[in-house]
Amino acid sequence: MRTLSRFACIGEAMVEFSFDRDQPRFGFAGDALNTAVYLRRFASREHEIDFVSVVGVDPLSERMLNFIDAEGVSTRHVARHPDKLPGLYAISTDVEGERSFYFWRENSAARTLFHDGFNVLDNFDVIFLSAITLAILPSDIRSRLLDWLEGWDGTIVFDSNYRPRLWESTETARNTVSRAWERADIGLPSLDDEMKLFEDHGETEVLERLRSFGLKHGVLKRGARGPLSLSGQQFRRADFPVAEKVVDTTAAGDSFNGGYLAALYSGATQREAMIAGHNLAVEVIRKTGAIV
């Protein structure tokens, strides 16, 4: 895909607290933001990468915007809420690098996204969003966004990041994610998330369900087993080596998204893009935090 594109990565940026060798670490992250940053770092410079969200007018929000701008991601479409603050979360990791999250996001400014409509998205070519993006929106805004996407002419990239605590019910999550899959042009699901949400019994069921939505482009992320092309193309397992060191798996999927999309939209083949995404994720999980 050599066409030069404007990307809108839609979601919530949060304050991130973690520990590196027992030392407190402070940063900013969020699945759509993580994807935007890694996409910007590795995409051709001609592409424009925008983060679309809402933050506050407080000092933390100001630092957050400065951080995003410094990464080369545009914040021109990040609105400012006069009364609300960014959400925040803490990460705890076990000895194998698996992480647990603790969130304070119920009143975050990002939950007011699109209260004034969707005109902000009119001039983009590619929209990236996730199930987390949809989950934080009020139900009426969420439904209207999915309706609006039905009539949009650009490319929709969707990652079904499933966080049960964000949803009103499992049924609501299933229905919403299914609607998103019906509209998606490029899918970047994770096997574990899909199985947890839809209670599929294995990889084959997941693939069959995704393809029943008409999804033919993208990748099923399978962690250490390596990615699987949704197009049905088969690639060597040796192309996707297992990480020799895992410190923190935070943003493994988000960094894959950014690396994969950057390569794909810079003219790479499906195989080359999958290798780029996998290799970037392997590097990210060797270090602490979402954006390394």
Side-chain angles (χ1 to χ4, degrees):
M1 297 184 182
R2 293 297 299 181
T3 303
L4 302 182
S5 300
R6 291 191 64 202
F7 291 80
C9 296
I10 307 169
E12 179 183 24
M14 292 181 289
V15 181
E16 177 190 74
F17 290 106
S18 59
F19 289 87
D20 188 357
R21 296 187 179 89
D22 294 326
Q23 295 300 311
R25 182 180 179 276
F26 162 85
F28 302 107
D31 66 338
L33 176 60
N34 303 339
T35 295
V37 168
Y38 289 117
L39 174 57
R40 175 69 285 164
R41 288 182 183 180
F42 294 98
S44 301
R45 300 311 300 178
E46 293 86 353
H47 293 305
E48 296 181 23
I49 317 298
D50 283 62
F51 183 56
V52 179
S53 189
V54 183
V55 299
V57 294
D58 55 283
L60 274 177
S61 292
E62 200 65 41
R63 285 176 177 265
M64 180 182 286
L65 292 179
N66 290 340
F67 166 77
I68 298 170
D69 285 330
E71 287 286 348
V73 175
S74 173
T75 59
R76 77 190 80 180
H77 295 300
V78 177
R80 309 293 292 269
H81 195 286
D83 303 315
K84 293 185 178 294
L85 302 171
L88 64 88
Y89 72 100
I91 304 172
S92 175
T93 53
D94 62 22
V95 294
E96 296 180 348
E98 282 301 322
R99 74 279 196 219
S100 299
F101 296 100
Y102 304 90
F103 293 99
W104 296 263
R105 71 195 309 176
E106 290 79 6
N107 295 305
S108 78
R111 288 178 177 262
T112 67
L113 188 60
F114 299 130
H115 277 206
D116 295 327
F118 311 108
N119 292 342
V120 67
L121 302 176
D122 281 343
N123 296 319
F124 289 100
D125 306 300
V126 183
I127 287 176
F128 171 88
L129 74 163
S130 75
I132 293 177
T133 307
L134 297 173
I136 67 169
L137 297 175
S139 59
D140 61 327
I141 302 292
R142 179 194 305 152
S143 181
R144 283 160 47 197
L145 173 60
L146 290 169
D147 289 342
W148 184 88
L149 290 173
E150 286 290 337
W152 191 65
D153 292 331
T155 299
I156 304 294
V157 184
F158 184 64
D159 180 351
S160 56
N161 269 347
Y162 178 49
R163 301 292 182 267
R165 292 182 181 180
L166 292 178
W167 292 94
E168 302 94 314
S169 67
T170 302
E171 181 181 7
T172 298
R174 285 178 184 163
N175 291 338
T176 303
V177 170
S178 293
R179 285 191 66 190
W181 281 137
E182 289 172 351
R183 180 60 187 90
D185 300 292
I186 298 175
L188 294 171
S190 294
L191 179 62
D192 290 348
D193 285 341
E194 289 291 313
M195 291 180 63
K196 183 186 297 182
L197 175 56
F198 290 95
E199 298 182 352
D200 297 318
H201 293 98
E203 183 179 295
T204 300
E205 281 192 24
V206 171
L207 290 171
E208 288 176 350
R209 179 174 46 75
L210 291 173
R211 288 166 181 161
S212 74
F213 293 124
L215 192 62
K216 300 177 181 178
H217 303 289
V219 175
L220 180 65
K221 294 172 288 190
R222 305 184 299 171
R225 294 172 58 200
L228 191 68
S229 177
L230 294 179
S231 68
Q233 295 170 277
Q234 299 293 321
F235 302 108
R236 297 185 310 156
R237 178 67 185 84
D239 288 335
F240 311 106
V242 176
E244 295 181 0
K245 179 182 179 182
V246 179
V247 173
D248 181 359
T249 58
T250 305
D254 305 334
S255 56
F256 180 96
N257 295 347
Y260 171 81
L261 292 171
L264 193 68
Y265 276 86
S266 296
T269 65
Q270 174 75 339
R271 173 180 173 273
E272 291 167 342
M274 289 169 63
I275 291 173
H278 179 81
N279 288 345
L280 178 55
V282 166
E283 285 299 310
V284 167
I285 65 177
R286 294 176 64 246
K287 300 176 182 177
T288 300
I291 299 175
V292 301

